[in-house]
Amino acid sequence: MKYVSTRGGDAVSLEQALLSGIAADGGLYVPQEMPLFSSHNFSGAATLADVGRIFLAPFFAGSSLAPELQEILAETFDFPIPITPLATPAGEAGLLELFHGPTAAFKDVGAGFLAACMSRLDAGGDKPLTILVATSGDTGGAVAAAFNERPGIRVAVLYPDGRVSARQAQQLTCWSENVLSLAVQGTFDDCQALVKEAMADRDLSEAHRFSSANSINIGRLLPQAIYYAHASLQHWFESGRKASFVVPTGNLGNALAAFIARLAGLPIDDIVIATNANRTIVDYLETADWLPRESIQTHASAMDVGNPSNMERVRALFGDAEILQELTRAVAVNDAAIEEEIRRTYADSGVIVCPHTATAIHVWRHMNEDQRKGKDWILVATAHPAKFETIVEPLIGTKVPLPPELARILALPSRFQRMQPELSALSDCLRNGYNAA
Ligand SMILES: *Cc1c(COP(=O)(O)O)cnc(C)c1O
C-alpha cells in the first residue's frame, strides 16, 4: 500500500509516511486505496491484536514492517478495551472504554502503535532519533509513555510550565533517561512555535534527527480503526446486528478512524460526532462553510480544537459537506451540559465519566426517537475520570478511585528542566539533557 498526500504529490511508502508525519506539500497522508472486508474475514479473530492483524494487513502490504505487524500489535494492545453496559432510565448503551492504557486515555493506542513502528524502522541508526512534542497536557504524556526506554529514540516534551494539571505534569515528567521533559516558561502556543522553529532549522534538525509524533501522523490514525473494528465485530457476532457509535472528537482523529472502519466494510451503522463548545465541525455540517477559528477552553480540554486538521483527510477520503451530511451528524456540547451529564450519569447509573466521555453520553441521551430507535449504541469513553478529578469530583461529591495504571505513574519520581521559550535554550537542553544551565 502506498500513501498519498491530501494535496496531490507523490505516493510514498508506509515507512516514509510514518517517519515524516506530514507530506512535503503540507498535506496529510491518506491510504491510496481502501480495502473492503466482510465480517466473515474476521471469523475466529477474538482479540484486538487478531482483528488488527487482518485489518491492517492491506495497509502494511509491501512494507518492511509487514512481517512485524503481529508483534507491533501485541505491544500496542497490551491492555483491554472492554465494552461495559450503561443502564439509564432513558435506555441502555455500551461504553467502549479506551482508557486502560499507560496514561489512562485513548491516545495511548495511537502513540503506542507509532512508537512500536518507529523503533523498528530506525533500528540500527547510529544517532538516536529525537521526537519533538509540544503538548498542552495529554498528548505529551501518551507519547512519552509510548517511547519510554525505547532504544535509539529520544523524546523531548515541551509543555507550558504551570499551565497543566498536577496529574498531567506528573505524566509528563516521570520517565526514563530517553525522555527529556521541558517546562517552557510560556504558553502552549510558545511550545508549538518553538517545535516548528526547531524542525525548520537545518543544522539542529540534522544534529538531532528530529521527527514528530503528533496526531496527524498516519501511524496514530490506523490503529484507532482497530478498536472500532473489534467492537463492531464483537457486537455483530453476538447479536447479528450492526453497532452505532457516538464519538467524542476534537481534531477529528477519533471520528475519522470510525469512518475508515465503516468504509472498509466493518458492521457499523450510524457514526455521530460529539464535540465540546468548539463547534467548527458542527457548523461546517450545518452551513457547508469551513470556518476554522481560535480554540476556546472547555472542561473537555483534550478536545479544545478550533481548526481540526483531520478535516482535510475527511474531505479527501469522502467529500465535502453535502456528502458528509449523509455520512454523519455532529452535535456540540457546552460546559454546562457536560457538568449536568457527569452528575446525571453518576446519579442514574453509578458510573463516573470524564468530561470528554460526557459529551458522547449527552448526545446519545438527547437524540430523538427517530435517531435512536432500532440501533444498538456504543458510546466512546476516551479518558479515565481520575485524570480530570478536579472537574469531576465536585460534581459527584465523592473521590474518583485511581486506576492502577495512574496510581503507578503518580508514585514515580519526577524530573524536568525549566526552559525559556527560545531556540537557543532548546538547543542547549537537547545537547546537555538535564544538566543544561
Ligand atoms: C485527544 C482526545 C480526544 C479527541 O481525539 P481526536 O483525535 O482529537 O478526535 C477525546 N478525548 C480525549 C480524552 C482525548 O485525549
Side-chain angles (χ1 to χ4, degrees):
M1 175 82 76
K2 293 281 189 196
Y3 293 81
V4 291
S5 164
T6 46
R7 301 185 189 174
D10 291 336
V12 302
S13 64
L14 176 64
E15 290 88 328
Q16 204 175 328
L18 289 172
L19 285 175
S20 50
I22 195 156
D25 60 9
L28 309 187
Y29 286 117
V30 290
Q32 197 166 33
E33 59 217 289
M34 200 53 72
L36 188 59
F37 298 100
S38 67
S39 304
H40 64 76
N41 293 125
F42 294 90
S43 56
T47 64
L48 284 152
D50 290 344
V51 169
R53 197 156 32 80
I54 297 166
F55 183 84
L56 288 187
F59 294 96
F60 272 57
S63 155
S64 64
L65 289 174
E68 315 233 22
L69 182 54
Q70 189 155 1
E71 274 191 31
I72 290 168
L73 289 165
E75 276 175 30
T76 308
F77 293 107
D78 64 349
F79 53 86
I81 300 187
I83 302 174
T84 57
L86 180 72
T88 78
E92 279 211 20
L95 275 184
L96 181 62
E97 296 184 355
L98 302 180
F99 53 71
H100 297 286
T103 69
F106 95 102
K107 289 189 179 66
D108 286 327
V109 173
F113 184 85
L114 184 63
C117 289
M118 274 195 177
S119 61
R120 286 172 169 81
L121 281 179
D122 205 56
D126 50 353
K127 248 188 307 191
L129 274 181
T130 299
I131 312 268
L132 284 183
V133 209
T135 185
S136 57
D138 267 356
T139 301
V143 170
F147 285 93
N148 189 44
E149 293 182 356
R150 295 226 177 238
I153 303 194
R154 158 166 108 124
V155 182
V157 182
L158 288 75
Y159 65 95
D161 197 13
R163 293 175 197 237
V164 300
S165 76
R167 285 187 184 173
Q168 280 176 331
Q170 174 67 14
Q171 294 186 330
L172 293 168
T173 58
C174 68
W175 308 104
S176 298
E177 284 294 315
N178 74 320
V179 177
L180 185 60
S181 306
L182 301 172
V184 175
Q185 306 302 297
T187 62
F188 169 60
D189 292 336
D190 293 329
C191 298
Q192 232 175 355
L194 202 50
V195 164
K196 272 200 184 142
E197 196 184 346
M199 295 269 199
D201 186 295
R202 262 265 183 87
D203 293 342
L204 212 53
S205 215
E206 257 166 39
H208 297 292
R209 302 186 58 223
F210 288 146
S211 190
S212 74
N214 59 25
S215 68
I216 48 104
N217 195 302
I218 189 78
R220 285 185 48 180
L221 189 60
L222 289 175
Q224 292 175 12
I226 295 170
Y227 49 74
Y228 290 107
H230 182 258
S232 64
L233 287 165
Q234 188 181 326
H235 187 68
W236 178 260
F237 287 125
E238 276 168 18
S239 68
R241 293 163 55 86
K242 289 184 176 182
S244 293
F245 292 91
V246 185
V247 183
T249 208
N251 206 26
L252 208 46
N254 200 12
L256 174 54
F259 292 151
I260 289 176
R262 184 172 64 181
L263 185 63
L266 274 300
I268 297 173
D269 197 357
D270 285 6
I271 298 168
V272 178
I273 292 170
T275 73
N276 59 24
N278 291 278
R279 44 181 304 130
T280 311
I281 299 166
V282 177
D283 290 345
Y284 178 59
L285 288 177
E286 256 164 41
T287 65
D289 286 324
W290 179 241
L291 298 172
R293 58 204 79 162
E294 293 271 294
S295 65
I296 54 176
Q297 272 189 27
T298 75
H299 286 329
S301 53
M303 291 158 44
D304 288 348
V305 183
N307 183 8
S309 46
N310 274 306
M311 184 55 92
E312 184 164 333
R313 277 198 175 110
V314 170
R315 292 163 83 173
L317 287 171
F318 297 93
D320 285 334
E322 299 80 63
I323 293 171
L324 297 182
Q325 283 161 358
E326 308 279 303
L327 293 180
T328 188
R329 57 183 195 277
V331 182
V333 181
N334 66 24
D335 274 357
I338 288 173
E339 290 181 8
E340 188 227 37
E341 205 59 49
I342 291 171
R343 244 191 244 113
R344 179 139 35 143
T345 301
Y346 183 63
D348 284 354
S349 318
V351 176
I352 307 175
V353 295
C354 87
H356 312 79
T357 307
T359 65
I361 300 178
H362 186 83
V363 169
W364 170 72
R365 205 195 286 272
H366 290 264
M367 283 176 190
N368 63 37
E369 264 310 289
D370 274 354
Q371 293 167 330
R372 189 210 299 239
K373 73 171 177 224
K375 317 232 176 206
D376 299 352
W377 289 97
I378 296 178
L379 318 176
V380 178
T382 50
H384 194 285
K387 285 193 85 158
F388 299 92
E389 85 287 4
T390 53
I391 296 165
V392 174
E393 287 178 351
L395 292 169
I396 61 170
T398 182
K399 288 259 174 226
V400 183
L402 267 185
E405 54 275 17
L406 272 190
R408 190 186 70 81
I409 282 178
L410 294 180
L412 292 172
S414 145
R415 155 173 78 162
F416 60 90
Q417 177 84 40
R418 286 206 174 82
M419 193 189 89
Q420 289 303 317
E422 285 153 17
L423 193 61
S424 59
L426 177 58
S427 173
D428 288 348
C429 286
L430 289 171
R431 198 170 44 242
N432 302 326
Y434 284 106
N435 302 315

